[in-house]
Amino acid sequence: MSQAEMDRRVREIYEQTLEIEERLIPTGLHVFGRAPGDADSADLLRAVASFDRPEAGIRSLTKLIEEGLSSRTEGILSSAKDACEASLDLRERVGAIAREAIEIFMREGSTISSAFLRSQAGVAEKDSLPGFELLSEVRAGLMINKEIDGLVSALRGEYIEPGPGADIVQNPSILPTGRNTHAVNPYSTPSDLAYSRAESVVKLLLEKQKAERGQYPRAMALVLWGLDNIKTGGEGVAQALRLLGVRPLRDSLNRVTDVEPIPLAQLQRPRIDVVMTVSGIFRDLFSPTMLLLDKAVRCVAGLDEPPELNFVRANIQNEMKTSRLGFDEAALRVFSNAPGNYGANVNFMVLDSQWERSETLGELFVTRKCFAYGRGRDGRTLEGREARDSMGRALSRVEAAYQNLDSFEIGVTDVDHYFEYLGGVSRAVESRAGERPRLYLADALSQETKVRSLEETIKLETRTKTLNPKWYEGMLKHGFRGVAEIESHVTNTFGWSATADAVEGWIYDEVAGTFVLNEEMLARLRELNPHSALALVARLLEAEGRGFWRVDAETLERLRMVYASIEDQIEGAA
Ligand code: BEZ
Ligand code: MG
C-alpha cells in the first residue's frame, strides 16, 4: 500500500469511527411514567440543538460553532492533506465544544453557556440564545411526565389533553409526553417541509446508485409506513413523488389532492418507476394519499416523453404490449394488504424458523401485499382488489428498494418489521428479477441527510447498539427485559441474513464472542433471563445451520454445549 493510499484508508476509518461516536445511542428502555435522567437528557438536548429551525429563528449549534472556528483559521492551509486533517480536527473540536456547551447549559444556564460559546468559538450571543431558549423548554418538558396520569384518565374514559405525534428531535413540541397523540391530516401530506427535505434524499439515493452501477435504476420499490409518515409530515410520500418527478398540488381548501409533473428540463434525469408497498396502518390513515400516489403514476405514464427519460411510461407501455394488458392493469403500483388485514408476516415465519427456501419468504410477502389501491380510468376506486400477477410483474423490474428510518431509537435491528417489509420485498424481487435488488435506507432523523446501503446500516447499528457496551449495559440494567432486547437484536440481525444475505460473518463472530463465549457475560444473561439466553444461542446455531455464518468446529461445539446446559438449567436438571 502506498503512503497516500494508507493515509486515505486511515482517514476513512477515522471518519467511520467518528460517525459511530456521534450517533445518538439510546442507553436503556423508556420506563413508563419516568422522566429521563441528566445524561440521557444531555444527549437528547445535543441532538435537538444540532438542527436548524428557520421557522423559530434557530441555527444549528454545531453549524454555529463550525462557522465561528473556521473564520478564525481561514487562509492558513497550504496542501490538500493539511486541509483534510484540518477538517477532521475541526469536526472533533466542534463536537467537543458542543458537548461542553450543553453541559454548561445544564449546570449553569443559557447566559453562561452563551458566553462560553463566544469565548471558545466566536459565536455571538444573539445567535446562540434562541437555541438555548428552545433547549430550556425541552428540558422543562422532559421533567413533566404525564404518562401515568394520561393512562389512568384514558382508563376512566376522561378527557386527555391532545399533543402532536412526532419524533422528539424533529419536533420538540411533542413534550410533555402522556398526551393524546393527534397527528394525521392526510390532506396536508406531504407537508412543504417534507417535500423540500425529500429533494436531497432522492438526489443522494439516485447518485449513489448511479455511482455504484453507472446508471439510474429503471424501477424501485418503496416501503411506506404510517407512523413514520406521520412523524415526518410524509417524507416517504414526498420521496415517491420526487422519484416519479411530480410535485403535489393544493386545492382551494389547501388540501393536497393532485400532482403536476416537473418538466424534464428541470428534473434533469429520468422519471423512475416506483412500486409502493404500503403497510396496513398507512392504508388506513392515508387513504387520500394512496389515491394521490396512484394518480401520480398515471399522470407520469400519460406524458408524451422519450422512453429513456420516462421509465414509468416505458415500462407500462411495454407491459401493455407484451402481456396484452389494459392501461389500468399495467399501471398498478400501489399495493397493500387486503382491506382489514395488516402485516407481511415474513417476520413471524423467520422468528419461528418455519421456512426452508428463501423464496418462500418473498412469496409470503406478495401473498399478503398484492392488493391494489387507486382509481381506474372510469373513476372507480379499486378498494384493495387482488392483483398478484400485476404486482409480480411490477416487482420483476425493480433494481433497488428503499425505506426511511425516522427515529434514532428504532432502526433495522431494533424491531422485526424492517426485515419483514424491506427484506420481504427484497426476496420477492429477487425471485422475479433474478437478482437481489440493492437495498438502501436513509435517516430522516438527522440534519444532514445520509443514504446508506442496508449492509452499511446493519454494520453501523451493530457497532452502535448490539456490540456497544454502552448500549447493552444500559439494557442489562433492565434485567429480564434487557436480555430479551439483546436477544431480539441478534434475531433481527439474523432476519437480514434470512431475507437479504446482508450480514457479514464477523457480526456473528462478535455476537458469539461478546455474549456467549465470554463466560462472565454468559453467566449474567443466564441468571437474568435464561429463556432469552437460550434463544440467542439457538439463533447463532441456526445462522450456522442455514449457512449464513461460517464458524470453526470448536466454537460450534462450544455453542452446542452452552445450549444444552441452558436447556438443562431451564428444565431444572442442572
Ligand atoms: C406503520 O407505521 O405503518 C408500521 C409500523 C410498524 C410495523 C409496520 C408498519
Ligand atoms: Mg410489533
Side-chain angles (χ1 to χ4, degrees):
M1 215 187 261
S2 70
Q3 186 61 42
E5 173 69 3
M6 186 117 86
D7 284 351
R8 196 189 57 74
R9 203 55 207 117
V10 168
R11 275 196 301 275
E12 216 174 81
I13 292 169
Y14 181 74
E15 289 258 359
Q16 284 172 359
T17 317
L18 267 189
E19 185 176 36
I20 292 170
E21 185 191 358
E22 284 167 3
R23 210 161 162 87
L24 204 50
I25 297 162
T27 48
L29 297 168
H30 174 67
V31 178
F32 195 77
R34 191 190 292 167
D38 272 358
D40 288 342
S41 301
D43 281 349
L44 201 54
L45 292 178
R46 203 147 36 84
V48 171
S50 71
F51 268 59
D52 276 324
R53 299 177 201 272
E55 69 290 355
I58 294 171
R59 298 278 324 278
S60 146
L61 178 62
T62 35
K63 281 196 199 158
L64 284 173
I65 299 172
E66 200 176 307
E67 283 170 16
L69 292 178
S70 315
S71 67
R72 291 179 176 181
T73 53
E74 238 169 296
I76 53 170
L77 302 165
S78 45
S79 71
K81 181 159 173 270
D82 284 355
C84 176
E85 270 167 26
S87 97
L88 292 179
D89 210 43
L90 176 67
R91 217 161 115 188
E92 211 164 298
R93 284 186 56 208
V94 169
I97 293 176
R99 226 182 312 273
E100 198 170 343
I102 298 293
E103 276 163 22
I104 296 175
F105 162 77
M106 291 184 70
R107 270 195 327 266
E108 299 170 76
S110 306
T111 318
I112 300 199
S113 191
S114 279
F116 164 81
L117 283 172
R118 180 167 41 74
S119 73
Q120 294 297 304
V123 177
E125 272 97 341
K126 72 168 179 27
D127 291 328
S128 63
L129 280 172
F132 283 124
E133 243 166 69
L134 171 67
L135 296 190
S136 304
E137 284 167 27
V138 172
R139 197 165 180 215
L142 285 170
M143 297 297 169
I144 310 168
N145 191 306
K146 299 188 172 178
E147 291 166 8
I148 296 212
D149 288 348
L151 177 64
V152 171
S153 302
L155 292 172
R156 288 197 187 118
E158 291 171 357
Y159 175 77
I160 308 165
E161 217 185 297
D167 181 74
I168 184 169
V169 177
Q170 286 202 33
N171 182 2
S173 70
I174 65 157
L175 293 172
T177 55
R179 290 183 292 168
N180 191 0
T181 311
H182 70 80
V184 196
N185 177 2
Y187 286 111
S188 71
T189 305
S191 69
D192 292 340
L193 180 65
Y195 188 70
S196 113
R197 277 176 62 92
E199 184 175 11
S200 62
V201 175
V202 166
K203 193 158 175 267
L204 286 171
L205 188 56
L206 293 177
E207 274 172 8
K208 197 167 165 78
Q209 295 180 70
K210 198 152 181 241
E212 287 171 2
R213 303 182 56 240
Q215 60 189 40
Y216 289 117
R218 292 182 64 83
M220 291 186 63
L222 249 58
V223 175
L224 294 176
W225 282 359
L227 300 182
D228 59 346
N229 276 287
I230 293 174
K231 289 192 206 165
T232 61
E235 280 189 30
V237 174
Q239 289 154 0
L241 298 180
R242 291 242 181 218
L243 284 166
L244 292 165
V246 301
R247 60 173 77 90
L249 286 180
R250 289 169 191 271
D251 65 13
S252 57
L253 297 173
N254 205 29
R255 304 179 315 167
V256 180
T257 46
D258 210 344
V259 295
E260 67 177 358
I262 302 169
L264 285 174
Q266 200 181 332
L267 196 61
Q268 305 228 320
R269 57 156 173 90
R271 302 184 193 278
I272 313 295
D273 194 355
V274 185
V275 185
M276 285 150 277
T277 57
V278 178
S279 76
I281 298 180
F282 183 104
R283 173 205 57 205
D284 290 355
L285 295 175
F286 289 98
S287 47
T289 316
M290 301 280 279
L291 295 178
L292 185 82
L293 291 167
D294 172 68
K295 206 177 208 178
V297 172
R298 286 159 186 274
C299 156
V300 169
L303 298 171
D304 187 9
E305 290 171 343
E308 70 279 10
L309 290 173
N310 185 334
F311 299 152
V312 185
R313 180 182 176 84
N315 288 342
I316 291 174
Q317 295 212 330
N318 199 18
E319 195 67 74
M320 288 167 68
K321 237 183 267 154
T322 52
S323 309
R324 298 177 174 276
L325 292 176
F327 176 82
D328 275 348
E329 195 65 35
L332 296 177
R333 292 292 183 277
V334 185
F335 298 95
S336 184
N337 297 86
N341 277 279
Y342 302 85
N345 293 0
V346 172
N347 50 338
F348 299 133
M349 200 178 245
V350 171
L351 298 183
D352 294 344
S353 308
Q354 293 294 329
W355 55 286
E356 295 304 327
R357 297 167 46 227
S358 59
E359 299 91 272
T360 313
L361 300 170
E363 290 322 296
L364 177 60
F365 184 87
V366 176
T367 301
R368 299 283 305 167
K369 289 287 170 189
C370 67
F371 299 85
Y373 290 80
R375 217 186 266 284
R377 271 192 164 156
D378 60 5
R380 263 190 256 168
T381 59
L382 307 175
E383 311 276 7
R385 170 167 72 68
E386 195 193 330
R388 190 181 180 98
D389 291 343
S390 292
M391 185 187 197
R393 279 188 293 264
L395 290 177
S396 72
R397 286 184 292 266
V398 163
E399 293 168 37
Y402 168 79
Q403 184 168 8
N404 273 310
L405 292 174
D406 66 83
S407 144
F408 68 88
E409 288 182 305
I410 301 176
V412 298
T413 58
D414 291 293
V415 293
D416 51 14
H417 299 302
Y418 286 103
F419 78 75
E420 174 189 10
Y421 275 79
L422 191 63
V425 76
S426 173
R427 283 292 188 224
V429 168
E430 191 177 343
S431 54
R432 287 167 177 77
E435 64 179 325
R436 202 205 82 174
R438 284 161 187 271
L439 300 170
Y440 299 96
L441 295 124
D443 284 355
L445 49 132
S446 44
Q447 173 77 9
E448 218 182 304
T449 326
K450 216 150 185 190
V451 173
R452 297 186 183 85
S453 68
L454 171 67
E455 289 80 353
E456 288 170 319
T457 310
I458 291 171
K459 284 190 263 191
L460 184 62
E461 286 200 14
T462 303
R463 286 275 179 228
T464 52
K465 290 180 183 166
T466 319
L467 293 175
N468 181 353
K470 184 172 169 184
W471 181 84
Y472 63 71
E473 288 298 343
M475 286 299 155
L476 288 172
K477 285 195 202 117
H478 297 276
F480 186 90
R481 183 64 222 162
V483 186
E485 283 293 321
I486 294 171
E487 183 276 314
S488 126
H489 276 69
V490 175
T491 290
N492 295 332
T493 305
F494 170 92
W496 289 113
S497 287
T499 56
D501 306 304
V503 186
E504 292 177 11
W506 66 263
I507 293 182
Y508 291 114
D509 289 338
E510 298 218 1
V511 166
T514 307
F515 298 111
V516 188
L517 306 176
N518 176 330
E519 289 188 11
E520 202 184 314
M521 177 58 82
L522 178 66
R524 287 170 72 193
L525 301 185
R526 289 178 68 156
E527 190 188 328
L528 292 169
N529 181 344
H531 304 278
S532 292
L534 184 73
L536 190 157
V537 181
R539 204 57 85 180
L540 287 172
L541 288 170
E542 186 180 359
E544 192 279 335
R546 289 188 185 269
F548 300 148
W549 177 38
R550 265 200 264 159
V551 60
D552 58 88
E554 197 184 322
T555 308
L556 189 60
E557 191 44 39
R558 174 121 181 78
L559 291 176
R560 290 198 179 118
M561 278 170 55
V562 170
Y563 182 88
S565 148
I566 304 176
E567 212 174 30
D568 286 350
Q569 174 191 346
I570 291 173
E571 287 163 1

